């Protein structure tokens, strides 16, 4: 059986690890054990910090929780070390769910401070809670055994740790390429993912819990390896250390979670021996040299070492769509000509400012309707009201007769409204195919566990197949494997249209799709929209470029100062004196 080239580096590492006890001195094997242990925690950070963008300064507290719970349940319940594993995981998972629930609501500096707060809080709890042995900790935690063999012997412990690490690495890698993984990698833009139906808060929470579970597992291993549990390895210093290692390795990929601890621990060991010898005195010089080296490293390789190193290794091929797949479920199209979207007396006030007032119009199924008006007329506000980003102050919005103005964006998306953004919101590092696949979210079901356990393969291929189909439909099929960030602005806007189409919408809403495009690109976009219309897609396009919409749309609604001043076919609107005065006249000035 042929092994794909990109798997070879991992297989070589695995082989070296298995052979290490026979080839390397005990102190290196011991070091490898610790590297594996730290890698498990760092892998959680790759998910949490690298993928989702939550910088955690408290991860060591979850390690401590896993360690203390195991030690305590042995002391008080007399369980064997193996039986305490589920308890350790339950404790770190539950604490992760609770702390995560509180933390992910915060943002920016508060989020970082929040992680520090619980990192410190749990540390002092470990030190001060009755029955935990204070800052001296608990001794005599029984060591791990299996089939009468002590697993604390360095080589066996190292192999156990790396076997667990290998399982977690495989799961994480599989997850990243799954439906849920793509959504997780897009969570840094919650407005975008929510507009495709993703429950961003609950998905973030799941990642938070996963990272806490990884840390809890490491804590359990720690307790039974050292036979002793005390607060100091679980304090804020340790948390910073984990973060350090993950960042140095590179939080963008699972490989970074292993590379970071390996490099940091090797450097530390080397410096600990070499620097005092150079200086001729003992002391903490190695910490300073170490700090300087880290700064140098991060300057040369800002994404960490993994991407830097991977340039010389065979690349993992980007995900591809299969040649054929079962089609995803489709929505029943609205009957042509019926009022798909109805806007009635819609208004929005921002404090004292009336941004929109008493706006009425319909979008009939199968038509292209433009909403136009000069800057500040209220177009974006109306767009936000219809898509649920903002609640209206008055009036109502109906989709196929049902009110949607009280619903959040993801519920509106579920009813068949898909949108693009005035300022493109794409994941620059993900491929075009992956970006468009995010649009299919509501047409699939597999979650995080299914993704990690490779149970969602079939659905994943369906999503990718559909994504490719939509890329072909808009003429970007050949760019499927290119990172979205490498496309020109005009192509990025079209890519957003493909992503919206992947949701199988009954109403496609475009916010200034022609903004920033060159004439050629505008013409191509108009051709695409005409094609979509001929295929039965209903479009509401918000635009301030009159020329772009004039020859394209069936009907126009003109806004000025938040109120509708005209409505009708382009020919009628073009001759309306109020429009000429307010809009065209304004432009000529
Ligand atoms: P357009 O998209 O037609 O250029 P907008 O809908 O962005 O216009 O804005 C309409 C009016 O509402 C403007 O006067 C704008 O300053 C105001 N506005 C828009 N959003 C907000 C907000 N979040 N807070 C306060 N005022 C706003
Ligand atoms: Mg606007």
């Amino acid at each position: 059986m042929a092994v794909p080239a990109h798997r070879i580096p991992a297989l070589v590492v695995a082989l070296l690890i298995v052979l290490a006890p026979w080839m390397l001195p005990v102190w290196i094997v011991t070091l490898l054990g610790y590297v594996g242990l730290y890698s498990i925690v760092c892998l959680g950070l790759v998910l949490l910090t690298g993928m989702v963008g939550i910088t955690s300064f408290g991860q060591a507290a979850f390690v401590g929780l896993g360690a203390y719970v195991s030690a305590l349940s042995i002391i008080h319940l007399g369980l064997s070390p193996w039986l305490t594993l589920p308890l350790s995981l339950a404790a770190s998972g539950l604490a992760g769910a609770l702390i995560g629930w509180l933390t992910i609501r915060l943002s920016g500096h508060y989020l970082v401070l929040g992680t520090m707060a619980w990192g410190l809080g749990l540390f002092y709890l470990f030190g001060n809670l009755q029955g935990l042995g204070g800052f001296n900790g608990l001794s005599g935690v029984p060591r791990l055994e299996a089939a009468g063999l002590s697993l604390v012997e360095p080589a066996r412990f190292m192999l156990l740790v790396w076997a667990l690490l290998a399982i977690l690495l495989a799961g994480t890698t599989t997850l990243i390429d799954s439906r849920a993984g793509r959504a997780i990698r897009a969570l840094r833009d919650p407005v975008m993912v929510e507009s495709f139906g993703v429950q961003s808060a609950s998905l973030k929470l799941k990642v938070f819990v996963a990272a806490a579970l990884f840390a809890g597992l490491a804590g359990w291993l720690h307790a039974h390896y050292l036979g002793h549990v005390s607060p100091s390895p679980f304090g804020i210093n340790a948390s910073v250390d984990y973060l350090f290692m993950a960042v140095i390795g590179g939080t963008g990929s699972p490989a970074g979670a292993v590379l970071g601890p390996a490099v940091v621990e090797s450097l530390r060991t080397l410096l600990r021996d070499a620097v005092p010898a150079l200086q001729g005195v003992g002391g903490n010089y190695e910490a300073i040299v170490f700090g300087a080296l880290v700064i140098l490293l991060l300057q040369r390789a800002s994404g960490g070492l993994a991407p830097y190193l991977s340039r010389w290794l065979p690349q993992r091929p980007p995900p591809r769509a299969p040649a054929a797949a079962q089609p995803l479920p489709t929505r029943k199209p609205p009957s042509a000509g019926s009022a798909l979207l109805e806007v009635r007396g819609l208004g929005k006030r921002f404090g004292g400012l009336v941004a929109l007032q008493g706006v009425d119009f319909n979008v009939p199924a199968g038509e292209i309707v433009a909403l136009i008006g000069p800057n500040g007329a209220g177009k974006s506000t109306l767009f936000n009201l219809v898509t649920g980003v903002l609640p209206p102050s008055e009036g109502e919005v109906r989709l196929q007769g049902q009110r949607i103005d009280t619903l959040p964006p993801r519920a509106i998306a579920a009813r068949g409204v898909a949108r693009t953004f005035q300022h493109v919101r794409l994941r620059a590092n993900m491929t075009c195919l992956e970006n468009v696949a995010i649009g299919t979210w509501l047409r699939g079901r597999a979650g995080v566990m299914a993704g990690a356990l490779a149970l969602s393969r079939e659905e994943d291929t369906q999503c990718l197949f559909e994504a490719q189909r939509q890329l072909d439909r808009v003429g970007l099929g050949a760019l499927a494997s290119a990172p979205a960030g490498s496309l020109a602005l005009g192509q990025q806007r079209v890519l957003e249209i493909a992503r919206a189409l992947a949701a199988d919408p009954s109403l496609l809403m475009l916010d200034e799709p022609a903004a920033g495009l060159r004439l050629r690109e505008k013409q191509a976009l108009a051709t695409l929209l005409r094609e979509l219309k001929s295929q039965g897609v209903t479009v509401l396009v918000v635009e301030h470029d009159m020329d772009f919409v004039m020859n394209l749309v069936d009907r126009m609604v003109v806004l000025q100062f938040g109120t509708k001043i005209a409505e009708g076919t382009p020919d009628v609107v073009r001759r309306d004196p109020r429009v000429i005065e307010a809009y065209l006249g304004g432009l000529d000035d």
Side-chain angles (χ1 to χ4, degrees):
M1 201 173 70
V3 176
H6 68 277
R7 295 256 163 80
I8 291 176
L11 287 177
V12 169
V13 171
L15 192 69
L16 290 178
I17 292 292
V18 172
L19 293 179
W22 284 275
M23 298 178 356
L24 298 171
V26 171
W27 70 271
I28 297 188
V29 173
T30 309
L31 190 72
L32 274 176
Y34 280 108
V35 167
L37 204 60
Y38 300 153
S39 299
I40 292 176
V41 183
C42 288
L43 190 57
L45 285 174
V46 162
L47 282 172
L48 189 64
T49 306
M51 307 280 154
V52 181
I54 297 177
T55 306
S56 167
F57 280 90
Q59 220 55 20
F62 291 121
V63 182
L65 216 56
Y68 269 101
V69 166
S70 187
L72 284 175
S73 41
I74 286 173
I75 293 168
H76 293 294
L77 306 175
L79 295 179
S80 85
W82 291 102
L83 286 180
T84 64
L85 177 58
L87 294 181
S88 284
L89 292 180
S92 50
L94 280 176
L98 181 68
I99 291 171
W101 186 74
L102 293 168
T103 309
I104 58 171
R105 269 138 233 280
L106 306 172
S107 61
H109 303 313
Y110 296 101
L111 179 61
V112 174
L113 288 175
T115 67
M116 284 186 181
W118 49 259
L120 278 171
L122 282 173
F123 170 71
Y124 284 110
L125 202 69
F126 297 144
N128 292 305
L129 208 66
Q130 284 277 318
L132 296 190
F135 285 91
N136 291 323
L138 301 164
S139 292
V141 181
R143 312 302 180 91
L144 280 180
E145 282 185 5
L149 293 175
S150 163
L151 292 179
V152 176
E153 191 271 318
R156 290 187 202 132
F157 180 73
M158 187 277 282
L159 290 175
L160 170 68
V161 169
W162 279 79
L164 292 170
L165 175 62
I167 294 171
L168 296 180
L169 279 169
T172 307
T173 313
T174 320
L175 171 67
I176 285 174
D177 274 340
S178 72
R179 166 181 183 265
R182 284 189 291 272
I184 288 171
R185 283 185 286 154
L187 276 178
R188 282 171 190 249
D189 190 347
V191 173
M192 186 273 283
V193 291
E194 290 266 336
S195 79
F196 290 101
V198 177
Q199 303 211 7
S200 61
S202 101
L203 196 57
K204 256 186 209 172
L205 190 57
K206 285 177 189 167
V207 174
F208 204 98
V209 170
L213 285 173
F214 288 13
L217 173 66
W220 176 81
L221 285 164
H222 172 111
H224 297 289
Y225 182 53
L226 297 180
H228 178 84
V229 177
S230 68
S232 64
F234 312 128
I236 198 110
N237 281 346
S239 285
V240 171
D241 231 34
Y242 287 125
L243 196 58
F244 226 44
M245 289 192 274
V247 167
I248 287 171
T251 52
S253 71
V258 183
L259 206 55
V263 169
V264 169
E265 283 306 292
S266 313
L267 264 181
R268 270 211 187 113
T269 311
L270 286 177
L271 287 172
R272 213 174 282 146
D273 297 341
V275 175
L278 285 177
Q279 298 290 324
V281 281
N284 270 337
Y285 293 105
E286 81 268 11
I288 298 168
V289 176
F290 181 70
L293 278 177
V294 167
I295 291 172
L296 198 71
L297 202 79
L298 290 180
Q299 274 188 347
R300 299 301 303 266
S302 62
L305 287 171
Y308 202 71
L309 208 71
S310 74
R311 279 182 226 166
W312 289 285
L313 297 175
Q315 297 291 319
R316 197 161 61 106
R320 270 174 204 288
Q326 281 287 347
L328 287 171
T330 54
R331 206 182 296 280
K332 186 171 158 286
S335 48
S338 65
L340 179 58
L341 183 76
E342 297 163 86
V343 172
R344 291 284 167 271
L346 202 59
K348 180 71 185 175
R349 285 182 302 276
F350 295 108
L353 181 109
V354 180
L356 212 60
Q357 197 173 28
V359 175
D360 295 301
F361 68 93
N362 283 354
V363 178
E367 290 193 3
I368 303 183
V369 174
L371 186 71
I372 66 162
N375 272 326
K379 304 182 299 292
S380 291
T381 303
L382 194 135
F383 199 99
N384 288 333
L385 296 182
V386 173
T387 49
V389 175
L390 291 173
S393 310
E394 61 192 31
E396 52 183 64
V397 182
R398 288 174 187 274
L399 187 77
Q400 292 184 288
Q402 293 187 324
R403 276 187 76 163
I404 57 168
D405 51 89
T406 50
L407 302 176
R410 61 169 182 272
I412 294 176
R415 284 167 191 235
V417 178
R419 65 171 295 184
T420 63
F421 293 88
Q422 184 176 350
H423 305 286
V424 283
R425 287 173 176 259
L426 293 162
R427 303 311 298 159
N429 295 327
M430 289 167 70
T431 66
C432 292
L433 187 73
E434 290 176 304
N435 270 284
V436 176
I438 292 171
T440 66
W441 176 262
L442 285 166
R443 302 169 74 185
R445 281 182 312 163
V448 175
M449 273 316 252
L453 299 175
L455 299 175
S456 66
R457 282 268 161 80
E458 174 148 5
E459 197 179 82
D460 290 339
T461 56
Q462 285 180 286
C463 292
L464 291 179
F465 182 74
E466 174 68 3
Q468 181 68 47
R469 201 172 71 87
Q470 299 301 349
L471 276 173
D472 292 339
R473 192 178 182 187
V474 302
L476 292 179
L479 292 172
S481 297
S486 71
L487 269 55
L489 177 65
Q491 291 176 318
Q492 293 192 354
R493 288 201 183 281
V494 174
L495 186 60
E496 283 215 335
I497 295 177
R499 183 176 63 192
L501 288 172
D504 184 33
S506 24
L507 178 64
L508 179 62
M509 291 189 51
L510 311 175
D511 196 357
E512 305 221 7
L517 299 197
R518 282 166 291 177
L519 185 63
R520 277 278 187 76
E521 293 174 317
K522 282 186 192 179
Q523 287 165 345
L525 179 63
T527 309
L528 169 64
L529 294 183
R530 273 190 209 103
E531 270 171 31
L532 292 177
K533 184 196 157 175
S534 73
Q535 294 162 5
V537 180
T538 310
V539 184
L540 175 61
V541 50
V542 168
E543 193 47 76
H544 90 187
D545 183 342
M546 258 299 210
D547 295 332
F548 175 72
V549 291
M550 266 305 166
N551 299 316
L552 171 69
V553 304
D554 299 293
R555 269 147 33 82
M556 314 172 73
V557 175
V558 188
L559 290 182
Q560 190 196 17
F561 302 130
T563 52
K564 184 175 81 174
I565 57 165
E567 181 179 4
T569 61
D571 271 341
V572 171
V573 167
R574 200 199 309 259
R575 276 184 257 112
D576 190 306
R578 288 186 70 189
V579 176
I580 295 168
E581 163 72 19
Y583 192 85
L584 300 177
L587 273 189
D588 284 347
D589 286 346

